[in-house]
Amino acid sequence: MRKLAIGIATSGALALTGLLAPVASAATSADLVFSAVTVNSGKAVAVGTTATVKVPVTYTLTRPSDLTIDYQTTFAGVLLYRGTLSRMANEIDPEDDAPTCTTTATTDTTVTESCKETLAIEPENLYSASDATTWKAAGLYSKIDQDDDDSDGHISIDYDYDAWGPLGSGVQIKRTAKLTVNASPEPVKKGGTITVTGKLTRANWETGTYTGYTSQKATLQFRAKSATSYTTVKTVTSGTGGALKTTTKATKDGYYRYVFAGTTTTGSATVAGDYIDVR
C-alpha cells in the first residue's frame, strides 16, 4: 500500500513530541473541530501476531471554509494513541488511504463534513503487553511545505502540526486468543468416559508467537448431532501452558468444543466442535 505523506508528517511530529514540548501558537494553529468520533463502532479490536487489522473510524469535522485539505500538503484525520497527547507511549497513524468526507452543512465561515477513515493496526507496531489496553483517539491537522532544489543539494521541509484529544471513548485493543479441542476415545460406548483436552493461547506481540494463557476459565460445550445449538457442560480452568482437560460421560453422538469469553486484555475465542461417535 502507498503511504500518504500524512503518515510521514504525523510520525515526524509525534517523534518530536517525545523529545520537546509542543510548540504551537494561536496565530498558526488550524481552527478545526472533531466531534462524534467513533472507533470500530465502539467494539474492542483483537490483534494477532501476523495479520494487519483494519479498523473503521467515523467522525464529524468542522473546518474554516477557506481552509483546503487536499491530502497532499494539508492533512486532517484521526489517530489512536496510548499515554498523553504530548507524551505518547505509542500511536497508530492514518498512513494508507485518505479519509472520505461528505459535506453536511455550510455557513459563511465554516464547512462541516461527515468523515470515514480506516486505521491499519499492524502487530509489529504493538510492542508489548502494555499495548493491550484502552487507546485514546485524537484529531490531527498537518501542513507540509517542502522545497527540493533541482541540484539535489538542498532540501527544506517545514510543517505545522496540531492535535486535539482525547476524543470519544477510544477503543480497547486486545490480544487475539486461540483454542484447540480434542475429544477421545472415538468411538466410545454409551455411558463411557470421554476425555476432552485442549489449549488456550494468546498473541504475544513481543515474540510474534502464541503462548499459553494460564488460570483462565473456559466453558466446555456439547451439541448433539441432530441439534443446532450448543449447551454448557462445565467450566474448566487452563493450566500450565494454557492446557485444558476434563472428563464427561458419553450419552449421544455429537460435538464438543471449548469457548473462552475473553478478558480486559484478551479477545474471546471459540473452537470448532470435535465429533464423538457414541455406540
Side-chain angles (χ1 to χ4, degrees):
M1 289 185 221
R2 66 190 181 92
K3 181 172 182 178
L4 291 178
I6 186 172
I8 301 171
T10 304
S11 298
L14 295 181
L16 289 178
T17 64
L19 302 174
L20 305 171
V23 178
S25 67
T28 60
S29 295
D31 187 15
L32 302 184
V33 177
F34 292 83
S35 60
V37 177
T38 302
V39 182
N40 201 41
S41 301
K43 299 178 292 184
V45 179
V47 182
T49 59
T50 56
T52 298
V53 179
K54 299 296 185 70
V55 178
V57 181
T58 59
Y59 57 93
T60 298
L61 173 64
T62 301
R63 59 175 174 81
S65 56
D66 61 353
L67 175 63
T68 299
I69 301 175
D70 60 14
Y71 299 99
Q72 296 298 317
T73 60
T74 52
F75 322 94
V78 169
L79 61 84
L80 300 178
Y81 69 99
R82 186 169 66 80
T84 63
L85 199 58
S86 61
R87 295 290 185 273
M88 297 183 184
N90 199 354
E91 88 281 345
I92 297 169
D93 308 324
E95 295 183 342
D96 296 323
D97 297 309
T100 300
C101 295
T102 302
T103 299
T104 57
T106 60
T107 69
D108 290 341
T109 59
T110 64
V111 175
T112 299
E113 299 172 315
S114 175
C115 298
K116 299 178 181 180
E117 72 174 50
T118 301
L119 290 172
I121 304 179
E122 299 180 6
E124 63 188 36
N125 293 330
L126 300 175
Y127 306 126
S128 69
S130 298
D131 283 328
T133 187
T134 298
W135 289 57
K136 304 167 189 173
L140 68 93
Y141 171 78
S142 183
K143 178 181 179 181
I144 295 179
D145 291 314
Q146 181 171 322
D147 179 30
D148 301 325
D149 69 25
D150 294 336
S151 68
D152 196 33
H154 171 260
I155 183 172
S156 174
I157 300 176
D158 184 26
Y159 62 82
D160 296 322
Y161 176 83
D162 293 273
W164 299 264
L167 304 173
S169 58
V171 65
Q172 183 82 21
I173 295 181
K174 297 186 176 186
R175 300 158 70 173
T176 295
K178 288 185 177 182
L179 278 169
T180 61
V181 66
N182 181 61
S184 63
E186 186 186 355
V188 61
K189 288 184 179 181
K190 186 174 183 178
T193 298
I194 298 171
T195 299
V196 186
T197 59
K199 190 174 184 180
L200 173 63
T201 58
R202 62 175 176 170
N204 184 324
W205 295 322
E206 295 182 59
T207 62
T209 60
Y210 281 82
T211 55
Y213 197 11
T214 63
S215 303
Q216 301 301 312
K217 302 294 185 182
T219 302
L220 176 65
Q221 296 183 336
F222 174 74
R223 177 172 68 84
K225 182 179 180 180
S226 58
T228 58
S229 61
Y230 280 86
T231 58
T232 296
V233 178
K234 62 175 67 175
T235 299
V236 183
T237 301
S238 60
T240 303
L244 298 165
K245 184 176 182 180
T246 191
T247 58
T248 188
K249 295 295 183 181
T251 58
K252 60 184 72 174
D253 294 350
Y255 302 84
Y256 287 91
R257 72 178 185 183
Y258 281 115
V259 175
F260 174 61
T263 64
T264 57
T265 62
T266 306
S268 59
T270 301
V271 65
D274 187 31
Y275 183 76
I276 282 290
D277 179 16
V278 179
R279 298 179 180 178

